[in-house]
Amino acid sequence: MKHFLVFLFFSLLILFPLFSETVTILGVEMEWDGYRVKESDTDLDPYTTTFDDIEEGRFFQNIYPVEREWYTINEGEYGETEVLHISSPNPGPTIYIVAGVHGDERAAWYAGIIMLNATIKCGDLYILAPANKPGAERRNRYIYSSQDLNRSFPGSIDGTKAERMAYAIFQDIKRIEPDFVLDLHEAIVYTEGRDFLGSTYIFSNLDLMADLFFNLLWATEDGDICHNAFSYTGPGPKGSVNRTVTDELGIPVITVETFRGFDIERRVYDQLDSVQFVLDFYGMV
């Protein structure tokens, strides 16, 4: 019994760490346990939030005539979810947004949900938010147990729950053949010996999108978009949306990583700013 109680104590410390320190990142002080920061609570409801609620007059203010069509992927399976297709009568590029492959990265899929209200002046926009619906409902990174959806691509129709969901997402992107994919994520780890991914853009092949990538990066450095300059890293990890779609389909992907130590309004703002920049680059807004 004694050994079990000791095991339970340390297990709880892993699941619910004691935030006994503070750390200052980009001028913001936040609670920190030496490995990850503490994410602040929020009552922000993405389903009722408008672009003006985040920053009045900054995001997607022009209204264009579009058609909206929902369809289901992974239908009848665990993790079944919906994709919104926003189409303009004017021909143009196709962009696919995958928001919230990790369910606890709320600003990523919050931004995706808010983006459902966007209109475009040309082309087609596909939005999958949240991509990890069971994880989002539980506020958990994983889609099921310890199965990481973003290490499961391209997936398998006969695999684990994560692999079947990854297969459905990958096949949908393959079917649509978008010109570009945006993959929205967040980071929470801040520790020595591990890359800090907060405020970061991730790539796997710059040859496919060098102009866009560096213009986006420089826009953050010049203060034109986002709250602070973003860094960059690559390639994406094996089994991720970024790495797999880039390598296997030859489609350029940027992963947007905001940092969960900041308040969620700031993080959603930076996600939306990044998305809007990309759509503007493609002439869609």
Side-chain angles (χ1 to χ4, degrees):
M1 183 66 177
K2 179 180 178 181
H3 293 297
F4 172 76
L5 292 175
V6 171
F7 171 78
L8 180 62
F9 174 76
F10 284 104
S11 297
L12 289 173
L13 281 181
I14 294 173
L15 292 173
F16 306 101
L18 301 176
F19 291 88
S20 57
E21 303 180 57
T22 61
V23 63
T24 300
I25 301 174
L26 295 174
V28 178
E29 185 177 81
M30 53 196 76
E31 292 184 75
W32 181 58
D33 69 353
Y35 182 71
R36 64 179 64 200
V37 297
K38 181 179 181 180
E39 184 175 3
S40 60
D41 291 328
T42 180
D43 57 3
L44 182 69
D45 179 1
Y47 295 96
T48 60
T49 298
T50 67
F51 293 121
D52 284 348
D53 292 330
I54 301 299
E55 179 72 18
E56 186 174 357
R58 183 169 183 85
F59 300 116
F60 300 97
Q61 293 302 297
N62 293 327
I63 307 299
Y64 303 103
V66 295
E67 293 186 359
R68 299 174 187 273
E69 179 186 9
W70 289 91
Y71 62 91
T72 301
I73 61 171
N74 207 28
E75 188 168 7
E77 296 284 342
Y78 184 86
E80 171 185 305
T81 190
E82 297 76 38
V83 177
L84 176 63
H85 175 201
I86 303 173
S87 59
S88 167
N90 303 312
T94 299
I95 305 294
Y96 198 115
I97 298 175
V98 181
V101 168
H102 291 141
D104 59 344
E105 297 172 7
R106 290 181 294 167
W109 62 268
Y110 277 24
I113 294 295
I114 297 169
M115 276 296 302
L116 300 177
N117 300 306
T119 62
I120 51 177
K121 65 182 178 182
C122 66
D124 295 88
L125 178 63
Y126 292 81
I127 303 172
L128 172 57
N132 179 353
K133 199 169 187 178
E137 290 171 350
R138 303 191 322 274
R139 195 173 163 182
N140 189 283
R141 174 183 177 91
Y142 303 108
I143 188 168
Y144 179 80
S145 184
S146 59
Q147 296 177 22
D148 192 330
L149 181 56
N150 206 41
R151 300 296 184 272
S152 302
F153 288 87
S156 168
I157 197 170
D158 299 315
T160 65
K161 289 179 171 63
E163 289 169 340
R164 292 199 297 273
M165 188 68 228
Y167 179 84
I169 296 171
F170 182 79
Q171 291 300 317
D172 196 48
I173 295 172
K174 183 178 180 179
R175 174 184 67 85
I176 292 164
E177 297 182 320
D179 297 283
F180 187 85
V181 172
L182 270 165
D183 176 37
L184 308 185
H185 281 260
E186 293 203 276
I188 197 169
V189 173
Y190 182 79
T191 186
E192 291 184 7
R194 180 162 173 169
D195 289 341
F196 173 60
L197 292 181
S199 299
T200 302
Y201 296 129
I202 300 174
F203 67 92
S204 289
N205 187 340
L206 281 179
D207 292 339
L208 298 174
M209 54 170 182
D211 287 346
L212 168 57
F213 190 86
F214 287 112
N215 286 346
L216 176 64
L217 197 66
W218 292 332
T220 69
E221 293 178 352
D222 292 341
D224 296 332
I225 66 169
C226 300
H227 283 81
N228 52 268
F230 274 49
S231 60
Y232 64 94
T233 190
K238 184 179 179 181
S240 65
V241 171
N242 190 307
R243 183 79 166 269
T244 309
V245 169
T246 300
D247 289 353
E248 298 200 16
L249 299 181
I251 297 171
V253 183
I254 290 178
T255 298
V256 180
E257 292 270 7
T258 47
F259 189 57
R260 290 164 63 183
F262 302 131
D263 66 76
I264 199 163
E265 288 81 4
R266 169 175 174 159
R267 290 145 49 195
V268 170
Y269 177 109
D270 288 353
Q271 293 276 354
L272 292 174
D273 235 3
S274 301
V275 172
Q276 184 169 253
F277 186 94
V278 170
L279 294 184
D280 183 59
F281 180 89
Y282 277 93
M284 297 174 69
V285 295

